[in-house]
Amino acid sequence: GSGINAEYVEHIRNYMQTLLEEDEDAYKREFSAYKKEVIMPDMIEEMYTKAHAAHRADTSPAPKKEIPEGYKPNSYKRARMSLQQRKGRVAQQKAAFLALQ
């Protein structure tokens, strides 16, 4: 073949066919993107053939996205407390604990 696994294409085609016949809702859920593009089970192979050809024509990696100015990735770690802060926190907890006694 043209580098496309025929069994894979066959499997997807059969799966789409089965869902179309047996469970319309599941078909809509699984293949909503295909439905938008109007891709039917017998068009799968052509779709993959085109995708592979396009990829072989230009194998260069996709361009890297520019990192916007002032971008900072989310960090969910707590900032480390200084000794002073830790002692203050312990004092607060101790006072609260003793107030409950």
Side-chain angles (χ1 to χ4, degrees), residues 78 81 83-100:
R78 255 177 89 163
M81 289 195 283
L83 181 63
Q84 204 78 50
Q85 289 171 313
R86 283 202 303 275
K87 285 186 172 174
R89 186 161 176 266
V90 169
Q92 278 182 338
Q93 288 177 329
K94 191 172 172 183
F97 176 76
L98 291 175
L100 292 173

Side-chain angles (χ1 to χ4, degrees), residues 33-97:
Y34 286 10
K35 209 172 159 72
K36 260 193 223 107
E37 300 286 336
V38 197
I39 294 170
M40 293 311 286
D42 51 355
M43 295 155 75
I44 297 285
E45 189 165 3
E46 187 187 336
M47 175 180 80
Y48 278 108
T49 309
K50 280 182 182 162
H52 280 259
H55 178 71
R56 274 202 283 298
D58 178 18
T59 56
S60 62
K64 293 258 190 284
K65 291 190 176 78
E66 282 297 313
I67 296 172
E69 196 67 37
Y71 170 77
K72 204 165 132 284
N74 291 342
S75 172
Y76 298 101
K77 285 204 296 209
R78 255 177 89 163
R80 191 178 165 150
M81 289 195 283
S82 68
L83 181 63
Q84 204 78 50
Q85 289 171 313
R86 283 202 303 275
K87 285 186 172 174
R89 186 161 176 266
V90 169
Q92 278 182 338
Q93 288 177 329
K94 191 172 172 183
F97 176 76

